Amino acid sequence: GVMSGLMQMLLLKVSAHITEQLGMAPGGEFREAFKEASKVPFCKFHLGDRPIPVTFKRAIAALSFWQKVKLAWGLCFLSDPISKDDVEKCKQKDLLEQMMAEMIGEFPDLHRTIVSERDVYLTYMLKQAAKQIELPRASETEPKKYIPAVVVGVVGMGHVPGIEKNWNSDLNIQEIMSVPPPSASSKIFKFVIKATVFGLMGYGCYRIGQRTVQFILSMPAAQSYLQKLTEIRSQ
């Protein structure tokens, strides 16, 4: 989708800004977790987060047109310096909670789709992974035996409070996996974007074609050929 693609481009810009400022790319903790998991015999590695396209589409659908413009504007002109000391400060729970509260105040629907819903999804996936493991039985009559599963979950710090809150709840992720239909304003915006793009392409082709024709007609060989045609017609 147009909006989803634009949002991904803007978030890639943010990621590049963080990488440039800190000298390292975001998500290093997940890459490190993958390396460590590969060293443990019989360890299974699960990507337990909600698929990015679903999160993006739900987040975009939750925002009004002006909220989308405001968010895009802020991401486009992101230039605040980030230091490693700033990263260490963000690890403090009180500062993290303050930042989350600011996000809730400015974009409550965005916080719900990007943070709160993913808290539920991450909790659900962790609980699925943490289910007891049934041991193989020699026969059908033998009673079932289980052993506890050993699970290590690697998540962003901002998701920890939500996971703790949802852990003892009965969770259903079907609702947060559906993508709502686009709103009327979104359809209009898409139409305007497409019309603008195709209009510019058409105008560009027209100008290029016009200049090409003028260039060809200005060539001596073409002028000589046109002159001959004119003489033939006059006869």
Side-chain angles (χ1 to χ4, degrees):
V2 176
M3 289 301 299
S4 183
L6 290 173
M7 186 65 70
Q8 289 193 47
M9 289 172 62
L10 290 173
L11 290 178
L12 284 172
K13 181 181 181 297
V14 174
S15 178
H17 174 69
I18 295 171
T19 303
E20 182 182 6
Q21 294 286 317
L22 299 178
M24 59 183 186
E29 65 272 32
F30 303 114
R31 288 188 287 273
E32 193 63 29
F34 179 77
K35 291 177 185 177
E36 292 300 318
S38 63
K39 300 176 185 177
V40 181
F42 308 108
C43 178
K44 294 181 180 180
F45 186 85
H46 295 281
L47 297 174
D49 204 349
R50 184 170 63 177
I52 290 176
V54 176
T55 299
F56 274 173
K57 288 177 181 178
R58 285 186 64 84
I60 291 166
L63 295 175
S64 67
F65 175 77
W66 293 114
Q67 284 178 322
K68 291 173 186 175
V69 173
K70 184 179 179 181
L71 179 64
W73 182 268
L75 293 176
C76 280
F77 295 96
L78 180 71
S79 59
D80 296 337
I82 305 170
S83 66
K84 292 184 179 181
D85 291 335
D86 294 330
V87 176
E88 293 301 318
K89 289 178 183 178
C90 288
K91 293 179 182 179
Q92 300 173 14
K93 190 174 182 181
D94 55 349
L95 180 60
L96 187 64
E97 289 176 349
Q98 179 185 342
M99 292 170 63
M100 297 294 278
E102 290 176 359
M103 183 180 178
I104 293 172
E106 193 166 3
F107 298 103
D109 293 324
L110 195 65
H111 180 273
R112 173 176 54 82
T113 52
I114 292 183
V115 180
S116 300
E117 289 183 359
R118 286 174 58 226
D119 288 345
V120 173
Y121 191 92
L122 290 166
T123 307
Y124 179 85
M125 296 301 288
L126 279 170
K127 290 179 74 172
Q128 292 297 310
K131 285 184 175 179
Q132 290 186 330
I133 301 170
E134 183 181 350
L135 295 174
R137 294 182 293 169
S139 65
E140 292 293 330
T141 58
E142 185 179 346
K144 294 181 180 180
K145 295 181 181 179
Y146 299 89
I147 58 171
V150 179
V151 179
V152 177
V154 182
V155 299
M157 285 186 66
H159 291 291
V160 174
I163 292 173
E164 292 176 347
K165 176 184 174 183
N166 293 311
W167 189 259
N168 294 319
S169 304
D170 292 329
L171 304 174
N172 184 2
I173 62 170
Q174 295 301 319
E175 183 180 349
I176 62 173
M177 287 300 292
S178 62
V179 178
S183 62
S185 61
S186 178
K187 291 179 180 178
I188 294 171
F189 183 73
K190 286 181 181 179
F191 176 78
V192 170
I193 291 291
K194 288 180 180 179
T196 303
V197 171
F198 284 117
L200 290 172
M201 288 175 61
Y203 180 73
C205 291
Y206 167 74
R207 293 292 295 174
I208 291 172
Q210 188 181 42
R211 291 184 179 182
T212 302
V213 171
Q214 288 177 351
F215 174 75
I216 292 173
L217 292 177
S218 65
M219 295 176 65
Q223 290 182 355
S224 175
Y225 180 74
L226 289 172
Q227 187 176 0
K228 288 180 180 179
L229 283 176
T230 304
E231 291 174 355
I232 292 171
R233 285 182 180 181
S234 61
Q235 290 175 1

